[in-house]
Amino acid sequence: MKKLSLILLTTLIAVLPAFAQSIPAIQQKPSDLALFLGRFHPLIVHLPIGFILLAFLMEACSRFPKFKHLGSSVSFVLFLGILSAIGAAVCGYLLSLSGEYQGSTLDWHLWLGLGTILLAVAAWILKSRQIPKIYFSVLLGTVVCLSFTGHLGGNLTHGSDYLVKYMPNPMRKVVGLPPKVNDEGPVITNLEEAVIFDNVIKPITDAKCESCHNPEKTKGDLRLDSKEGFQKGGENGPVFTAGQPAESELIKRIKLPQDHDDVMPPEGKKPLSKEEIQLLEWWIENEASFDKKITEVKTSPEVQEILDALVNPPQKAVNPVFTMDIDAATEDDLQNLRKNGFSAAPIASDIPLLQVSYLNTSAPLSAQQLKVLSNHSDQIVWLNLSKVRLEEKLDYGFLKDFEHLTELHIDHTAITDEELKALKNMKWLEYINLYGTEVSDKGLANLHPLKHLKTAYLWQTNATPTGISTLQEKLPELQIHTEAPSLILVSADTTEEVTTKN
Amino acid sequence: MNLLEEIAYRKAELNTRRHFLKKCLSGMGTMALGALAGSSLSSCERTADALGQLRDSANPMNPLPAHFLPKAKRVIYLHMAGAPSQLELFDYKPELQKLHGLDCPPSLLEGKKFAFIQGTPQMLGPQYNFKRYGDCGAYVSDRLPHFSQCVDDVAFLKAMHTDEFNHAPAQLLMQTGSARLGKPSMGSWVTYGLGSENQDLPGFVVLVSGGTTPSAGKSIWGSGFLPTVYQGVQCRSKGDPVLYLSDPKGMSRELRKKSIEAINNINRKQFEEVGDPEIMTRIAQYEMAYKMQMSVPETMDINDEPEYIHKMYGTEPGKASFANNCLLARRLAEKGVRFIQLYHWGWDAHGAAKSEAINHGFKNRCKEVDQPMSALLKDLKQRGLLDDTLVVWGGEFGRTPMRENRGGKEMKFIGRDHHLEAFTMWMAGGGIKPGITYGETDEIGYYGIKDRVHVHDLQATILHQLGLNHEQLTYHFQGRDFRLTDVHGNIVEKILA
């Protein structure tokens, strides 16, 4: 045992001097081998975390009679923890030489890491010396120190707000963080007043570049979190050449093919959109000014369009119902609908809402079938009940539950004006087919409040021209189809009769 | 020893040591094979494809979600087999009229291969009169008087081009994405990707008119390497739509049901043992055939259509015709059939015979399709079906602006040779922009000079409208993933509404 502790201490003493001169050493460019080994840090670092936590758990559990036997193994596990921690620390140090990580977070991470090793060694010696009282506190201290080190390491890799970014507001209140700001929506509210760099360029680089080019994680010795960083450039020289987007390193890197080694953002990160690239080019083309306003520079119609879209994001062409948070139907739900004679499937693999039709028009729908259908009224967006009949004493009142429909085929059915009241609930409806029904102007009035309605089919109904024109006035965008104009039949037959080869 | 004991004894007798060892060995072999083949045994019930889509192999035609929000739910594809002349129907070329009768300049012939043209052919001007129609002002010749009233509902693709100048390979390329045999047809890919809404009818129905099947034969509606359950089902438009639909004398429907159940149970056992998906196809086909005994006569009997519909389409019940098939196509669309493929043969207007010449037989072909296809568009529209039904019309290639001179001599009738560089197709409904013309050919209609659309682009666009990503709709076969558009295909964004 003594021998082992001696070896350990010697290793530590051998390694520590390397750290002592750590920070100034950054100036020299480290060897490739050092950088190669350094990148094993994220891999190895999970070993000491696991071992030390396990040692602590075993120690804690061994206090209970049932797990008493674990106590004798703690030393072994802890020793493994110390060894792997030393390995992780060495790799971590080598990684820091790359200069991609800087600032106080890095320093704290380094010293707390070393502290963890020292505490773990202390705990290990205390355990072997059988001094249980201080031993357990030291072990607890090791775990605490380890947690902080790990957290800082996480911050270095992912950014300091990574962990709490999606923390719900009540929880934020408890830990004393300011409430979450909803940062969706336009960044600029007024194009006249907007400063190009602050309001247009910075939001783009904040979203796509800043996470690797910030004071803590300064990849390529480049910071893109402030205008000073842009001006200073990185290890490969300046970021941009004012006035010449094609010559600017920033644009060149962004526009490289996705599988190129030097493409920015690197593989696995979200690339810039076509519009974002255009805006960056436009900014550099206009001297890459840091304080000019949008109104002070030349703007092509194309760029103007993109800028306008920043203020007024274009209305999504997709019906809002498709992005609503509605529980997806399970495979059992689908089976249940199918067993009851319906055809049912989700409309698309990324939209869990259902399309349902009933095509076996020779058999009228029963109360049981309607019940099954209504069970899924929330999930169904496309409902095809064309030519469907209902069993006696049933009516179409069940439709009132189908609030999420965007498409309803109810043509050639016995639906009445009265029952059409159910349509009032279908505020997302885009398409309705009523052809071949007894529907009259009175029933059509129920369509008036449907703002999303785009097409209505009214061929062979009792709707009068007055009713139709009233509907058209209420919904000017609506396309109303009645009978298509008949094809003019040509009587003159100039065709020669020729027997064709059969 | 009673009878049962004797049977047991005989059975044991047959189980010699040799048999025992053989069974052991082959059992091991099967296990190893199963493991090698990706364990088809354990995954026989439900398999997820590349997109994580669950497929229920017991119900291969169950409707499946599209890859993304679809614009069209089904396709009616009107294939004009033999390739109609774009220069006599849609692609109006007054310049060509001026060149009529002149020798074709050598620059147009150098390095070109034609199916029949030899030496120096003469230019052939448009043989029929053109006028502009509709709000969109599209040119249509006087051969299509009904269709000229529908131009505001369709999008013309004027600069289509293909790779093949013979009928069979060009038809295969158009319908299966490859000029060689063995690839699944478009309808098979679509039903494989989306299943079918109606479980009582085939998801992919084929209707043929014009007297003969297309040159490429039935392979153009085959399923290739996809499970055969996805192949097109040809229905006859004359007589019984499907042969042997009615039960034979003495066979009640109940008995038929029982016997099919018994066969299917045996097949299911076999499937559990060997996991061959073709067995599932067989089971599905038996079940489908049983259901079709009821559903097909009901759907395919056009006698119950009102008189004005027959008049509109020009249908004559009981006769095999393109008109009947158009009406059937609408009825099948109403019934939720996913892919309805029509072929009308007889457009190969070389001028070698009166029956196909531009100045004779061609006129008849025009007359046979003009009213029915226009009626189909109109009927779909007033029924509210054109919104989600994609209608596609076209041949497999185009025809030359030169008059065909088979054998280097002037022929008795007027005709044009096969031409792969430029031809016209149109699409309607299913989220396609109505009333537009996309693409342009040069002044004699020889090459596409603007917005050319290749066959694979058309296929990619059709799949796109159905909510299918043509690059993701793949099937793993012989060691690689295959798709309808092979390694090509760009969606024609400009014609999408």
Side-chain angles (χ1 to χ4, degrees), chain B residues 18-93:
Chain B
R18 185 170 294 177
H19 279 107
F20 175 74
L21 287 174
K22 194 177 154 195
K23 269 189 187 166
C24 283
L25 273 176
S26 59
M28 298 250 289
T30 321
M31 276 159 69
L33 201 70
L36 283 174
S39 175
S40 56
L41 297 183
S42 56
S43 62
C44 63
E45 291 236 316
R46 299 191 164 282
T47 50
D49 65 12
L51 278 158
Q53 216 159 83
L54 272 181
R55 299 186 161 274
D56 186 348
S57 54
N59 296 294
M61 274 297 179
N62 265 353
L64 291 168
H67 298 162
F68 46 83
L69 193 62
K71 291 274 194 276
K73 298 199 187 92
R74 65 197 74 83
V75 175
I76 298 178
Y77 194 123
L78 313 174
H79 188 113
M80 302 294 112
S85 165
Q86 75 281 10
L87 297 164
E88 264 70 40
L89 295 176
F90 306 111
D91 208 13
Y92 178 48
K93 295 294 158 193

Side-chain angles (χ1 to χ4, degrees), chain A residues 113-167:
Chain A
L114 291 176
T116 309
I117 298 177
L118 284 177
L119 281 172
V121 171
W124 184 68
I125 294 171
L126 287 172
K127 169 87 181 175
S128 60
R129 291 282 157 84
Q130 314 238 324
I131 314 175
K133 260 194 184 152
I134 332 170
Y135 157 68
F136 195 68
S137 338
V138 173
L139 188 59
L140 186 66
T142 317
V143 171
V144 172
C145 195
L146 175 80
S147 313
F148 273 106
T149 317
H151 174 64
L152 292 177
N155 281 358
L156 279 175
T157 331
H158 300 293
S160 56
D161 61 345
Y162 182 76
L163 188 63
V164 293
K165 189 168 177 201
Y166 294 105
M167 189 187 267

Side-chain angles (χ1 to χ4, degrees), chain B residues 216-362:
Chain B
K218 298 186 176 184
S219 317
I220 43 174
W221 58 83
S223 56
F225 42 71
L226 291 177
T228 33
V229 71
Y230 299 112
Q231 75 182 323
V233 173
Q234 185 188 355
C235 289
R236 311 188 320 150
S237 43
K238 190 179 174 183
D240 273 350
V242 177
L243 290 175
Y244 314 119
L245 255 191
S246 32
D247 291 315
K249 246 190 190 161
M251 166 81 93
S252 72
R253 186 142 171 89
E254 193 50 35
L255 181 61
R256 165 82 67 166
K257 187 175 177 191
K258 276 191 176 154
S259 52
I260 285 177
E261 266 168 16
I263 297 168
N264 282 352
N265 281 338
I266 297 169
N267 279 336
R268 220 163 267 133
K269 281 226 165 73
Q270 177 80 359
F271 177 71
E272 276 158 23
E273 226 163 86
V274 298
D276 181 356
E278 284 303 295
I279 298 172
M280 279 334 275
T281 296
R282 174 63 63 100
I283 294 171
Q285 304 289 52
Y286 273 122
E287 279 170 358
M288 175 62 78
Y290 177 72
K291 286 188 272 192
M292 276 166 69
Q293 286 190 297
M294 298 297 278
S295 61
V296 163
E298 185 190 308
T299 312
M300 304 297 276
D301 181 10
I302 56 172
N303 280 308
D304 62 355
E305 290 285 337
E307 187 53 34
Y308 68 89
I309 290 289
H310 285 303
K311 239 180 159 168
M312 182 162 90
Y313 282 87
T315 38
E316 287 170 63
K319 240 181 97 180
S321 71
F322 184 72
N324 285 14
N325 288 352
C326 278
L327 181 54
L328 283 174
R330 190 216 80 207
R331 290 172 69 98
L332 291 166
E334 282 177 316
K335 282 284 181 188
V337 172
R338 189 70 72 188
F339 204 98
I340 305 149
Q341 176 83 53
L342 270 63
Y343 289 100
H344 189 60
W345 181 87
W347 290 97
D348 196 17
H350 286 283
K354 196 173 182 188
S355 62
E356 41 87 327
I358 295 254
N359 47 346
H360 295 284
F362 178 79

Side-chain angles (χ1 to χ4, degrees), chain B residues 401-420:
Chain B
M402 293 83 83
R403 181 169 174 183
E404 183 170 324
N405 60 344
R406 198 173 290 194
K409 289 179 282 196
E410 185 174 316
M411 293 154 74
K412 198 171 162 201
F413 302 103
I414 295 173
R416 299 183 187 273
D417 203 357
H418 305 169
H419 187 48
L420 51 82

Side-chain angles (χ1 to χ4, degrees), chain B residues 373-390:
Chain B
M373 71 188 189
S374 315
L376 176 64
L377 285 180
K378 179 191 144 140
D379 205 17
L380 288 174
K381 200 176 172 185
Q382 62 195 3
R383 279 163 208 265
L385 283 168
L386 195 55
D387 294 72
D388 54 12
T389 306
L390 178 62

Side-chain angles (χ1 to χ4, degrees), chain A residues 116-302:
Chain A
T116 309
I117 298 177
L118 284 177
L119 281 172
V121 171
W124 184 68
I125 294 171
L126 287 172
K127 169 87 181 175
S128 60
R129 291 282 157 84
Q130 314 238 324
I131 314 175
K133 260 194 184 152
I134 332 170
Y135 157 68
F136 195 68
S137 338
V138 173
L139 188 59
L140 186 66
T142 317
V143 171
V144 172
C145 195
L146 175 80
S147 313
F148 273 106
T149 317
H151 174 64
L152 292 177
N155 281 358
L156 279 175
T157 331
H158 300 293
S160 56
D161 61 345
Y162 182 76
L163 188 63
V164 293
K165 189 168 177 201
Y166 294 105
M167 189 187 267
N169 275 334
M171 225 193 263
R172 294 177 86 96
K173 220 168 162 186
V174 174
V175 294
L177 282 167
K180 205 161 44 169
V181 258
N182 195 357
D183 53 359
E184 280 168 41
V187 197
I188 333 171
T189 44
N190 184 356
L191 280 187
E192 310 280 307
E193 288 301 308
V195 177
I196 302 175
F197 182 73
D198 293 343
N199 298 94
V200 180
I201 302 305
K202 189 122 188 312
I204 298 175
T205 54
D206 277 357
K208 302 280 168 82
C209 317
E210 195 256 4
S211 67
C212 294
H213 299 291
N214 58 45
E216 282 149 24
K217 188 178 178 187
T218 320
K219 292 262 183 188
D221 202 16
L222 174 66
R223 282 175 56 177
L224 292 177
D225 60 322
S226 63
K227 85 177 188 195
E228 287 76 25
F230 272 87
Q231 284 162 329
K232 188 171 151 274
E235 64 184 22
N236 292 323
V239 179
F240 59 84
T241 316
Q244 288 174 304
E247 298 301 309
S248 300
E249 192 66 19
L250 179 74
I251 303 295
K252 276 193 205 161
R253 290 285 192 109
I254 289 170
K255 283 185 145 180
L256 284 173
Q258 270 310 304
D259 52 356
H260 196 284
D261 281 348
D262 293 334
V263 70
M264 283 291 142
E267 204 186 337
K269 303 262 161 84
K270 201 175 172 195
L272 279 84
S273 70
K274 223 168 55 195
E275 289 79 17
E276 286 171 334
I277 298 174
Q278 262 180 304
L279 288 175
L280 288 178
E281 288 180 311
W282 163 73
W283 170 62
I284 293 174
E285 208 171 280
N286 288 290
E287 306 305 322
S289 156
F290 289 93
D291 37 44
K292 272 194 186 156
K293 289 180 182 173
I294 291 177
T295 42
E296 291 172 58
V297 301
K298 260 202 334 229
T299 308
S300 70
E302 225 174 308

Side-chain angles (χ1 to χ4, degrees), chain A residues 7-55:
Chain A
I7 298 170
L8 242 175
L9 280 173
T10 358
T11 333
L12 265 183
I13 290 161
V15 169
L16 269 175
F19 290 104
Q21 42 156 326
S22 62
I23 307 302
I26 290 170
Q27 306 304 336
Q28 282 163 2
K29 188 141 173 84
S31 71
D32 274 357
L33 183 67
L35 288 180
F36 172 72
L37 290 176
R39 296 208 164 177
F40 280 89
H41 178 67
L43 179 79
I44 300 175
V45 79
H46 296 96
L47 289 173
I49 297 176
F51 283 136
I52 291 173
L53 283 180
L54 181 63

Side-chain angles (χ1 to χ4, degrees), chain A residues 317-319 322 331 334-335 338 342-351 353 355-362 381-382 384 386-387 407 409 411-412 431-433 435 455 457-460 479 481-490 492-502, chain B residues 46 51 53-54 56 59 62-70 73-74 143 145-147 149-150 196-200 210-212 298 308-309 311-312 330 334-336 338 345 354-355 359-361 363-365 367-368 370-371 374-375 378-388:
Chain A
V318 180
N319 196 312
F322 294 126
E331 194 57 33
L334 293 177
Q335 290 303 340
R338 286 170 190 163
F342 296 101
S343 162
I347 56 174
S349 49
D350 53 347
I351 307 172
L353 301 160
Q355 48 183 328
V356 172
S357 39
Y358 186 73
L359 296 158
N360 182 14
T361 44
S362 48
V381 284
W382 297 346
N384 180 1
S386 168
K387 295 188 175 140
E407 238 187 80
H409 296 252
D411 48 289
H412 270 293
Y431 170 104
I432 183 149
N433 197 337
Y435 112 80
T455 21
Y457 288 88
L458 300 174
W459 182 41
Q460 296 179 344
Q479 282 195 4
H481 296 269
T482 52
E483 186 178 4
S486 56
L487 301 162
I488 307 153
L489 299 174
V490 277
D493 185 4
T494 52
T495 323
E496 287 170 57
E497 277 312 315
V498 180
T499 39
T500 54
K501 189 176 90 184
N502 263 316
Chain B
R46 299 191 164 282
L51 278 158
Q53 216 159 83
L54 272 181
D56 186 348
N59 296 294
N62 265 353
L64 291 168
H67 298 162
F68 46 83
L69 193 62
K73 298 199 187 92
R74 65 197 74 83
R143 286 303 94 202
H146 292 85
F147 182 75
Q149 298 159 47
C150 301
S196 181
E197 224 181 327
N198 194 334
Q199 301 302 302
D200 295 345
T212 172
E298 185 190 308
Y308 68 89
I309 290 289
K311 239 180 159 168
M312 182 162 90
R330 190 216 80 207
E334 282 177 316
K335 282 284 181 188
R338 189 70 72 188
W345 181 87
K354 196 173 182 188
S355 62
N359 47 346
H360 295 284
K363 288 201 231 169
N364 289 348
R365 292 300 90 69
K367 190 164 177 277
E368 282 155 13
D370 173 42
Q371 187 185 342
S374 315
K378 179 191 144 140
D379 205 17
L380 288 174
K381 200 176 172 185
Q382 62 195 3
R383 279 163 208 265
L385 283 168
L386 195 55
D387 294 72
D388 54 12

